[in-house]
């Protein structure tokens, strides 16, 4: 019921940005969000936050999600490789029927054998 609550989404966005600043520092955060390759993702992310604050919750959430994918899409390959090292999830993600689908979704390019 509260998944698209405007106040909770705004609070989550603020805490997300503060967490990034506290983890990597203000200067590196600015550099990360202002890179030319990440500029479209940054604009969409901030536009999504503004739309949420202006009560366009669902549309703002979608726009913000697209911005997050543009900003952090490079990390999905790293996340999948980490998940493959875990005991319960790893064998499922490494299964020959599942691995090509997961690799394609994460953007992992494997060489054919």
């Amino acid at each position: 019921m509260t998944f698209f609550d405007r106040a909770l989404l705004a609070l989550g966005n603020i805490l997300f940005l503060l967490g990034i600043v506290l983890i990597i520092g203000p200067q590196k955060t600015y550099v990360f969000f202002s890179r030319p390759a990440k500029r479209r993702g940054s604009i969409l992310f901030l536009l999504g936050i503004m739309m949420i604050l202006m009560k366009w919750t669902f549309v703002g959430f979608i726009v913000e999600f697209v911005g997050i994918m543009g900003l952090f899409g490079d990390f999905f390959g790293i996340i999948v490789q980490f998940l493959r090292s875990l005991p319960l999830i790893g064998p499922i993600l490494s299964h020959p029927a599942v691995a090509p689908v997961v690799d394609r979704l994460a953007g992992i390019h494997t060489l054919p054998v």
Side-chain angles (χ1 to χ4, degrees):
M1 287 292 248
T2 61
F3 186 62
F4 290 112
D5 181 44
R6 184 172 57 98
L8 290 177
L9 284 173
L11 182 64
N13 290 331
I14 291 168
L15 292 175
F16 175 74
L17 290 173
L18 284 174
I20 291 175
V21 170
L22 289 174
I23 289 173
I24 65 174
Q27 183 68 27
K28 288 184 181 179
T29 302
Y30 175 76
V31 169
F32 176 77
F33 281 100
S34 64
R35 273 193 233 156
K38 306 283 185 183
R39 197 167 290 150
R40 181 173 37 177
S42 299
I43 290 170
L44 287 174
F45 180 69
L46 294 175
L47 182 66
I49 291 174
M50 289 175 42
M51 291 174 83
I52 288 172
L53 294 175
M54 293 186 315
K55 299 183 180 180
W56 286 67
T57 309
F58 185 74
V59 177
F61 181 80
I62 299 298
V63 170
E64 184 178 342
F65 179 75
V66 172
I68 287 175
M69 295 299 285
L71 285 169
F72 300 104
D74 302 342
F75 298 117
F76 290 133
I78 297 168
I79 293 168
V80 167
Q81 294 299 345
F82 169 74
L83 290 175
R84 284 186 175 150
S85 69
L86 296 178
L88 296 174
I89 300 170
I92 296 169
L93 293 177
S94 298
H95 190 275
V98 178
V101 175
V102 173
D103 289 345
R104 174 169 266 170
L105 289 173
I108 299 173
H109 302 290
T110 57
L111 297 173
V113 179

